[in-house]
Amino acid sequence: MGILSVDLFITLDGVYQAPGGPDEDREGGFEFGGWQGAYFDEETGQAIGAGIDRMDALLLGRKTYDIFAGYWPGKGGDDPIAETFNALPKFVVSRSLTDPGWEGTTALSDVAEVAAVKDRFDDIHVVGSGNLARSLLEADLVDRLNLFLYPLTFGSGKRLFADGTGVPAAFRFAQPPQAFPKGAVSLVYERAGAPITGVDISQG
């Protein structure tokens, strides 16, 4: 069975909404879109690119799929990210989309179908797609979290773990953290079973 990784750009207060541009996602009146660019540097770009190079399948939620499908197919052949994304087998989880237009895309009607995708590929990545990421975590289908943590807070916006969501789970570092010159940090975690609780630290 392959590894399913969630790749997410996220703020200190857990917001993942609209990192790439001011009009990427204004849902809920979000006014802070385009927050990642101020922290982008060559080292961050190299780390993000290395993660893309490892993928052999791409899994997206419907909203992120629509953004990607409207952008990457039209990029020139000299863009290595576009070349990779356009060539990869792609899967979108959606109850309403049955005939995706981005070449190489298969629609899945339910998160439960992702387990079969993991049987077919070695390194599947979910990019963005916060709602899907939460559903995959709740279904215990996520093996790795690739988080790029940015040094800012908004106090509003879509969060990876909104109030009342999430399931008990423990993680451990899959590799040492990596800090970048403009303040972002790469944190790569892998599942490590159930949380250890009930420990009285004063008895240690």
Side-chain angles (χ1 to χ4, degrees):
M1 181 173 286
I3 292 173
L4 177 62
S5 298
V6 169
D7 301 352
L8 206 59
F9 307 126
I10 193 168
T11 67
L12 291 175
D13 57 346
V15 174
Y16 65 82
Q17 188 171 358
D23 296 317
E24 182 179 343
D25 181 1
R26 291 187 178 272
E27 187 176 340
F30 189 67
E31 299 178 351
F32 304 107
W35 48 266
Q36 181 187 20
Y39 299 93
F40 194 83
D41 47 52
E42 183 177 355
E43 291 86 345
T44 309
Q46 289 173 349
I48 293 170
I52 292 172
D53 288 343
R54 289 194 299 270
M55 300 179 188
D56 62 356
L58 181 62
L59 176 64
L60 302 169
R62 175 62 188 272
K63 290 181 180 178
T64 303
Y65 173 81
D66 286 344
I67 294 169
F68 278 29
Y71 181 78
W72 292 113
K75 296 292 286 183
D78 59 346
D79 187 319
I81 297 178
E83 184 176 356
T84 298
F85 281 169
N86 288 326
L88 280 174
K90 293 169 283 291
F91 298 86
V92 55
V93 180
S94 172
R95 293 185 176 90
S96 58
L97 182 64
T98 57
D99 187 21
W102 192 3
E103 185 176 354
T105 302
T106 301
L108 308 176
S109 61
D110 193 271
V111 166
E113 297 178 55
V114 172
V117 176
K118 291 180 68 173
D119 285 336
R120 295 173 51 193
F121 299 95
D122 294 325
D123 203 347
I124 309 122
H125 286 241
V126 178
V127 177
S129 307
N131 288 336
L132 174 61
R134 283 198 299 272
S135 296
L136 292 167
L137 284 161
E138 290 170 1
D140 200 19
L141 289 168
V142 175
D143 302 294
R144 185 166 289 185
L145 292 172
N146 298 324
L147 304 179
F148 284 83
L149 183 68
Y150 289 82
L152 70 171
T153 62
F154 296 128
S156 64
K158 298 176 183 177
R159 289 174 166 84
L160 179 57
F161 296 110
D163 292 343
T165 65
V167 296
F171 293 83
R172 59 177 168 246
F173 278 127
Q175 63 189 50
Q178 181 180 2
F180 302 106
K182 291 189 176 181
V185 180
S186 170
L187 302 170
V188 181
Y189 292 102
E190 62 186 9
R191 275 301 308 270
I196 299 173
T197 63
V199 178
D200 186 341
I201 197 168
S202 67
Q203 303 300 314

